Amino acid sequence: MDIARPSMPNLSVPAHLAQEWEQLLIRAREGSLPLPELMDRGNFLQTQQLGAAPAPLYETWRAHEAHPPAARLVALYNWGTVLGNIQQHERAEQVYRQALAISPGFAQARLNLGHQLEHLGRVDEALAAWQAVYDATGPMEALGADTDGLRTHAFNNAARLLELQRRYEESEALMVRSLTLNPEQTDVMQHYVHIRQKQCKWPVYQPFGEVTHNRLLIATSLLATLSATDDPALQMGAAQRFVHEKVTKQKEALWKHPVSVAARQQGKIKIGYLSGDLCMHAVGLLTAELYALHDREKFEIHAFDWSREDGTALRKRLLMSMDKVWRLNAMDDATAAKLIAQAGIDVLVDLQGLTSGARPNILAHRPAPVQVSYLGLPATSLLPGVDWIIADRFVMPPEYLPYCSEKPIYLPHCYQVSDRQREIGADPTRAQYELPEDAFVFCSFNNNHKMNAEMFGAWMRILHGVPNSVLWLLADNEWAKANLRREAEAAGIDASRLIFAPRVAPPDYLARFQLPDLVLDTFPYNAGTTASDCLWMGTPILTRSGRSYISRMCGSLLTAVGLPDLITFSLDDYVERAIQIGLNPGRARSYKRYLREEGRQSALFDMPAIVRDIEREFEQLALAHRA
């Protein structure tokens, strides 16, 4: 297989390192460089942030014919690893295929080949590469590694990629096989629980083999726990496990360094927003107007961002609303934290918490004197260095405070910002979505993982109590649809009364909120962005509020919009209220009329006032650290 000849990388390094590199290259060409020395110096160059430098050394060394086959195999593997690390995935693929031509059973090379194929977007080929490892029938060359460990690695990567492809049932099956082989993998158990939630596969905690119910419970992620219980102690425990396992404890606070202190001592107060979700994401949708409304006479707004470039108008609008955007994608956490400290940020607002893609170790370095949790995680994170959380007195009542490591910044009306400029599609018809014209339409567009057996059972009781009614649900995946239909039939409800809505573009998603009569909230994971959307579009939502922040989000919005009678505090009251409204459609119409006439003028959607409330709190906290 032809591979391009080596070329001198652009080494912006001291002369002695460049000279050493040249000497190594000469010895590699002559065949006098032992492989252990090549590997040692290659690793050293990578630790010096010279990731491209070892690749030509391996390439030149491999070209010499005198090396024994076993050494050539190891060199090819290391060369492929170097190429993968510097994002040269096509070349890495070629190198791994050369290694496999020598030894088809070389498991590590086939595993890494799968990673390169995934990076190149060749999903089925990547899955096939990993399957060749976990279903290997012939001898496996593992270079001293544990073969069971390599198989679980292959299982887990294939399961992860299948989950990303929304092939949930296949993904779950591989997780089961992986855990059967090694039942000590808490990370895999975490994904197993959540993928069952996504499929509405109840009971979610389904033990097998040595994987017990208790083990699954202990391994459950915070996000999955938020859907499973409103017990704030259990939620705090899930956060504590994550922080203990994943977050590095730091001894010093970067904001105290002289450079950071000097940068903060004068001028406008600098607010930094830390997020990987400044794009087409619930956080991006909610905060789009927040940044632009900040008072630029007093505040300077920075984004510390590693979001995907999704090419949307929303993404462009979010970035244009900032005074300064710092891209953190290529930075490690320590470097990113130093950047934030050197920028002199007074208040750093974490918009992710412990959600997918978060970078909590940036916050652990304490790059800003005031670090605040907001929106992304409506729960305590227990992150060291995050001392505050934006809230209101409904979502964080006094009895919740002992289970929260952050102190509340209480806003007077509602904790949640939203966007008054959200684009709305053309008015839809019920026929367009196969909804009956004469039925009472209950609706829940919350993600399937927020649903659980208890609340779905309540919805079936509601349908039983309102005979001429249907339930309109989000069609998140085919397994959830099949399982929900099965649950409906088991509850004595004709499955045809469940109508599934496809995913549509955000403007059309907003527009179709005009069609249902009443939205039914999930519990304990309440609607957040979804509740804001339906109220903005003039449709009432019935909620059940519990003991935790996340189980009280929708109640906060309903209080601020002026509809507290749509808040219930028990399952039976929730069912009874829904049936009352369903049997009296005029009551639903009166709620719609109120929202149409008064909703958008309520405290819930007074964005300038909410932003001023936030700024007042931030200013007070920031100035206390400038004194």
Side-chain angles (χ1 to χ4, degrees):
M1 185 177 294
D2 291 332
I3 298 178
R5 297 287 299 164
S7 58
M8 174 70 177
N10 183 18
L11 292 176
S12 300
V13 293
H16 72 278
L17 281 181
Q19 184 177 8
E20 179 188 7
W21 187 91
E22 290 283 5
Q23 290 300 316
L24 290 169
L25 188 65
I26 291 170
R27 293 173 62 198
R29 186 177 298 119
E30 293 173 345
S32 62
L33 179 63
L35 180 59
E37 184 180 351
L38 168 61
M39 293 166 61
D40 177 71
R41 300 319 293 164
N43 290 336
F44 170 75
L45 289 168
Q46 290 184 80
T47 64
Q48 300 302 302
Q49 308 301 314
L50 300 170
L57 299 178
Y58 278 108
E59 185 173 359
T60 303
W61 187 97
R62 187 267 328 172
H64 201 280
E65 298 296 331
H67 302 301
R72 292 169 63 82
L73 197 63
V74 173
L76 284 167
Y77 175 74
N78 284 8
W79 182 19
T81 302
V82 169
L83 291 170
N85 288 341
I86 61 175
Q87 315 303 312
Q88 293 190 22
H89 302 300
E90 290 183 350
R91 295 192 71 212
E93 177 197 355
Q94 296 174 21
V95 170
Y96 286 128
R97 290 196 186 279
Q98 277 196 332
L100 290 166
I102 298 172
S103 175
F106 187 3
Q108 287 103 321
R110 203 167 291 281
L111 285 169
N112 281 11
L113 172 63
H115 289 298
Q116 309 316 307
L117 294 166
E118 180 185 359
H119 282 296
L120 294 168
R122 291 150 61 186
V123 170
D124 288 339
E125 291 179 67
L127 293 170
W130 291 323
Q131 184 177 6
V133 176
Y134 65 68
D135 276 344
T137 55
M140 186 183 295
E141 186 164 356
L143 295 184
D146 171 47
T147 55
D148 281 352
L150 295 175
R151 284 193 167 93
T152 56
H153 183 89
F155 277 130
N156 298 342
N157 275 289
R160 173 188 54 77
L161 184 52
L162 285 165
E163 184 174 4
L164 289 173
Q165 299 297 310
R166 305 176 68 82
R167 293 161 63 176
Y168 295 145
E169 193 168 56
E170 295 171 79
S171 177
E172 182 190 346
L174 291 185
M175 291 181 201
V176 170
R177 292 181 66 185
S178 178
L179 288 166
T180 300
L181 189 61
N182 176 8
E184 304 299 324
Q185 302 176 89
T186 54
D187 282 354
V188 182
M189 285 185 244
Q190 170 182 313
H191 283 276
Y192 169 76
V193 169
H194 196 44
I195 208 166
R196 289 179 65 85
Q197 287 180 324
K198 290 178 180 179
Q199 298 173 85
C200 299
K201 208 167 186 179
W202 306 320
V204 166
Y205 293 103
Q206 182 61 54
F208 59 90
E210 296 180 41
V211 179
T212 64
H213 185 283
N214 183 258
R215 279 187 165 189
L216 292 172
L217 187 65
I218 291 173
T220 302
S221 70
L222 178 56
L223 178 63
T225 301
L226 297 178
S227 294
T229 177
D230 79 322
D231 186 335
L234 291 178
Q235 294 179 3
M236 184 174 67
Q240 187 175 39
R241 286 194 301 275
F242 180 93
V243 170
H244 176 73
E245 294 172 4
K246 306 290 186 182
V247 179
T248 304
K249 294 177 176 62
Q250 304 297 333
K251 293 182 179 179
E252 59 178 350
L254 292 180
W255 69 269
K256 294 182 179 180
H257 286 200
V259 172
S260 181
V261 172
R264 291 195 314 275
Q265 286 308 308
Q266 56 188 348
K268 299 175 184 178
I269 292 171
K270 298 185 182 74
I271 302 174
Y273 288 96
L274 181 73
S275 183
D277 292 330
L278 298 177
C279 54
M280 189 56 70
H281 181 277
V283 168
L285 289 164
L286 278 180
T287 60
E289 195 175 5
L290 163 66
Y291 314 116
L293 285 174
H294 275 303
D295 181 358
R296 287 330 202 257
E297 294 296 318
K298 288 186 176 181
F299 300 94
E300 186 175 292
I301 309 304
H302 297 242
F304 296 93
D305 172 45
W306 60 95
S307 311
R308 67 184 186 277
E309 295 291 352
D310 59 12
T312 61
L314 175 67
R315 170 73 174 156
K316 182 177 180 181
R317 180 182 165 202
L318 291 165
L319 297 182
M320 292 294 291
S321 299
M322 306 292 180
D323 296 315
K324 178 75 174 179
V325 176
W326 307 83
R327 295 292 280 153
L328 306 186
N329 301 61
M331 295 183 192
D332 61 36
D333 293 337
T335 303
K338 289 176 184 176
L339 175 70
I340 294 168
Q342 291 167 2
I345 298 302
D346 294 282
V347 180
L348 183 62
V349 184
D350 174 32
L351 294 172
Q352 280 201 260
L354 306 182
T355 59
S356 177
R359 298 179 62 176
N361 279 299
I362 294 175
L363 294 147
H365 286 278
R366 294 213 59 136
V370 180
Q371 299 190 159
V372 181
S373 174
Y374 190 39
L375 286 180
L377 180 68
T380 187
S381 68
L382 267 77
L383 285 176
V386 180
D387 298 321
W388 303 92
I389 185 170
I390 293 179
D392 58 56
R393 295 188 185 276
F394 190 94
V395 291
M396 285 189 71
E399 55 269 27
Y400 177 65
L401 298 183
Y403 303 98
C404 186
S405 64
E406 304 89 347
K407 297 183 286 290
I409 296 174
Y410 282 129
L411 302 187
H413 300 294
C414 183
Y415 78 96
Q416 190 191 85
V417 293
S418 60
D419 181 19
R420 298 169 301 168
Q421 302 172 36
R422 51 193 119 182
E423 183 185 351
I424 300 169
D427 289 350
T429 64
R430 283 193 169 186
Q432 181 180 336
Y433 287 103
E434 301 179 350
L435 296 170
E437 296 289 347
D438 60 344
F440 191 94
V441 177
F442 294 104
C443 166
S444 180
F445 286 160
N446 282 358
N447 285 320
N448 292 150
H449 72 81
K450 295 185 180 183
M451 299 177 186
N452 58 40
E454 181 187 55
M455 286 304 288
F456 190 77
W459 292 348
M460 296 305 97
R461 288 166 58 191
I462 292 166
L463 290 185
H464 181 76
V466 185
N468 187 32
S469 66
V470 296
L471 179 57
W472 196 21
L473 298 169
L474 181 67
D476 190 59
N477 63 79
E478 60 184 283
W479 302 280
K481 286 170 67 173
N483 288 328
L484 292 174
R485 284 181 174 133
R486 190 179 304 113
E487 293 287 336
E489 295 284 1
I493 298 296
D494 188 335
S496 66
R497 294 176 68 186
L498 304 187
I499 300 172
F500 292 94
R503 288 193 178 273
V504 293
D508 297 324
Y509 156 82
L510 276 174
R512 70 185 182 189
F513 269 115
Q514 299 168 89
L515 298 178
D517 297 290
L518 180 66
V519 175
L520 298 175
D521 196 12
T522 45
F523 178 91
Y525 200 137
N526 276 185
T529 309
T530 304
S532 174
D533 288 338
C534 77
L535 292 170
W536 180 254
M537 294 306 300
T539 297
I541 179 170
L542 177 70
T543 193
R544 175 185 170 196
S545 295
R547 294 175 288 170
S548 60
Y549 189 125
I550 204 161
S551 70
R552 300 176 68 85
M553 293 192 301
C554 188
S556 170
L557 273 63
L558 285 166
T559 301
V561 85
L563 290 177
D565 59 323
L566 288 173
I567 305 169
T568 65
F569 296 93
S570 73
L571 189 67
D572 288 342
D573 286 348
Y574 176 92
V575 171
E576 181 181 352
R577 194 78 48 87
I579 292 174
Q580 288 172 351
I581 297 169
L583 293 176
N584 182 10
R587 186 169 171 182
R589 288 193 295 270
S590 71
Y591 289 134
K592 285 196 168 191
R593 184 167 56 251
Y594 168 79
L595 287 170
R596 186 170 61 248
E597 295 172 357
E598 307 290 340
R600 293 188 181 184
Q601 285 72 51
S602 69
L604 177 60
F605 296 117
D606 189 350
M607 286 306 104
I610 294 176
V611 175
R612 295 292 88 78
D613 292 336
I614 292 172
E615 289 178 341
R616 183 175 59 253
E617 299 292 338
F618 283 1
E619 182 178 22
Q620 183 177 346
L621 291 169
L623 292 179
H625 286 278
R626 283 192 176 189

